[in-house]
Amino acid sequence: MITSKTIASGILKAVTVIALVSLLLVFIYKIQSVLIYIVLAIVFSLIANPIVEFLKHKLKFKNALAVITTLLIFLVIFVGLLFLFVPMLLSESSNLSLLDTNSIEKKCLEVYSQLNFYLQKRNINLSQVIKSSDLTSKLNFSFFTNFFNSVLSTISSFGIGLGATLFISFFFLKDKVTFITGIKTIIPDSNEAKILNSIHKTKDLLSRYFIGLAIQLVIVSLLYLIVLLIFGVQNAFVIAFLCAILNIIPYVGPLIGAILAGILTMLSNINSDFQTQTLPTTIYVIIGFIIVHLFDSNVASPIIFSKSVNSHPLEIFLIILIAGILFGIVGMIIAVPLYTILKVVGKEFLPNNKIIQLLTQNI
């Protein structure tokens, strides 16, 4: 029989649980920067681990020395790129007025005026089209400046947290055996082998995945830069840099990048003749970016990611598509790593399931 004391006890437990969960969420929010550093350290450790293993097994380095050497290699590369490219990036972004909302708005209005004049000669009323679609109310000229400034802010924040990230990464790489030993003491003995095998396989596959992602970004950014240089686009480096960052978003990012490249190409050629130079150059750049996207999505990415996580290219495409529909852009970004983890866990804990066997036959 339910008594008032039982109801009161249940309500008290529910309130306690809600309060604890709320405190936990507040705590996570307060230490979000630390969590970001930990995530960055995990990703970096997965990328750096093959180099550490190479130094240990091929060159016979001690564990600590191999880790320190690997961190120094990455640090030298990072600092070198920082001093080489950041001044160029800031200089080009200033010329393109990406740091000034008023300047970019003024340039957009100039482009609009030139485009309107061009279309009026062909009996197309751009003003009427925009008015009927109510596009002006949806335009936000601060998008470009906010986007670029957020990128610079992220770079600055990463610079500030670089020491913390490297410090955490050092212990992830140096004491990974200690971490595994600690995990052994927590997990049940009956599942110890399965869990440890899952961790080992996941670490190996995700290491290859993030290395593949880095290779993809380098390839795409170089191809973007080549396209822009071929057509003599000013500020080619900064445009290629921005579009390469967008390429992290599977499938959708490159398309957004092509549109952004077209707009920035127009803005960078604002003083040129619209009909003979600005418009043709913009069209050629967009076509070039689409070709790069087709090459990346149909050749480079499927080969890189299917090899790195041992999944069929169609399988990767469907997983990213489903994750995008369910969880948006964030889902598309984390789809492949999360799916890889689920496959490894499924293979270890449900090895007799026919669907699992089919999906994990190459793992």
Side-chain angles (χ1 to χ4, degrees), residues 91-329:
S91 174
E92 289 196 359
S93 63
S94 297
N95 294 334
L96 196 52
S97 301
L98 282 175
L99 303 177
D100 186 353
T101 303
N102 293 328
S103 296
I104 199 169
E105 182 175 353
K106 183 179 178 181
K107 285 191 174 184
C108 285
L109 291 175
E110 289 181 20
V111 169
Y112 167 78
S113 177
Q114 293 178 0
L115 182 60
N116 188 40
F117 179 75
Y118 173 80
L119 293 175
Q120 279 180 348
K121 289 183 175 181
R122 288 152 181 79
N123 299 319
I124 300 175
N125 193 331
L126 182 61
S127 300
Q128 187 62 37
V129 172
I130 293 177
K131 185 177 180 180
S132 61
S133 63
D134 196 27
L135 185 61
T136 52
S137 63
K138 301 173 185 176
L139 286 175
N140 181 11
F141 293 105
S142 64
F143 166 77
F144 300 102
T145 55
N146 291 340
F147 174 74
F148 190 74
N149 286 327
S150 66
V151 170
L152 293 180
S153 176
T154 301
I155 294 174
S156 300
S157 298
F158 182 77
I160 294 172
L162 181 63
T165 303
L166 290 178
F167 184 78
I168 298 170
S169 300
F170 172 77
F171 288 102
F172 280 169
L173 291 167
K174 175 179 174 292
D175 297 330
K176 56 189 175 185
V177 176
T178 304
F179 290 138
I180 293 175
T181 304
I183 292 173
K184 285 182 179 180
T185 61
I186 299 174
I187 59 179
D189 293 337
S190 58
N191 294 321
E192 180 179 310
K194 294 179 180 179
I195 293 175
L196 292 179
N197 285 336
S198 298
I199 293 173
H200 177 72
K201 290 180 180 178
T202 299
K203 179 173 67 67
D204 180 55
L205 289 174
L206 290 184
S207 292
R208 291 158 57 184
Y209 169 76
F210 286 116
I211 292 172
L213 182 62
I215 293 172
Q216 182 209 20
L217 289 178
V218 171
I219 292 173
V220 169
S221 62
L222 288 176
L223 291 176
Y224 282 162
L225 185 60
I226 290 171
V227 169
L228 294 169
L229 292 176
I230 287 175
F231 297 109
V233 178
Q234 299 176 6
N235 311 304
F237 178 80
V238 68
I239 296 174
F241 174 76
L242 292 175
C243 295
I245 292 175
L246 286 170
N247 204 76
I248 295 176
I249 307 171
Y251 303 108
V252 177
L255 295 178
I256 299 174
I259 296 172
L260 180 63
I263 295 172
L264 294 179
T265 299
M266 279 191 171
L267 296 179
S268 64
N269 289 277
I270 193 68
N271 296 321
S272 304
D273 182 74
F274 185 81
Q275 183 172 344
T276 61
Q277 186 169 350
T278 303
L279 185 59
T281 301
T282 302
I283 294 173
Y284 294 148
V285 166
I286 292 176
I287 293 174
F289 271 53
I290 291 174
I291 293 173
V292 172
H293 169 54
L294 291 175
F295 169 77
D296 177 54
S297 59
N298 292 287
V299 180
S301 291
I303 292 175
I304 291 172
F305 293 131
S306 62
K307 296 296 183 182
S308 62
V309 297
N310 292 334
S311 296
H312 193 277
L314 179 59
E315 187 180 352
I316 296 291
F317 173 78
L318 292 176
I319 289 300
I320 292 175
L321 183 63
I322 293 170
I325 293 172
L326 294 177
F327 305 107
I329 291 176

Side-chain angles (χ1 to χ4, degrees), residues 52-100:
V52 174
E53 295 299 320
F54 173 81
L55 293 175
K56 285 169 58 179
H57 296 103
K58 298 295 183 179
L59 302 182
K60 306 302 180 183
F61 279 37
K62 297 289 186 180
N63 182 52
L65 181 59
V67 173
I68 293 172
T69 303
T70 302
L71 292 179
L72 287 175
I73 291 172
F74 277 96
L75 186 60
V76 169
I77 293 173
F78 174 77
V79 173
L81 292 175
L82 199 66
F83 281 104
L84 180 63
F85 290 124
V86 168
M88 186 191 308
L89 185 64
L90 291 174
S91 174
E92 289 196 359
S93 63
S94 297
N95 294 334
L96 196 52
S97 301
L98 282 175
L99 303 177
D100 186 353

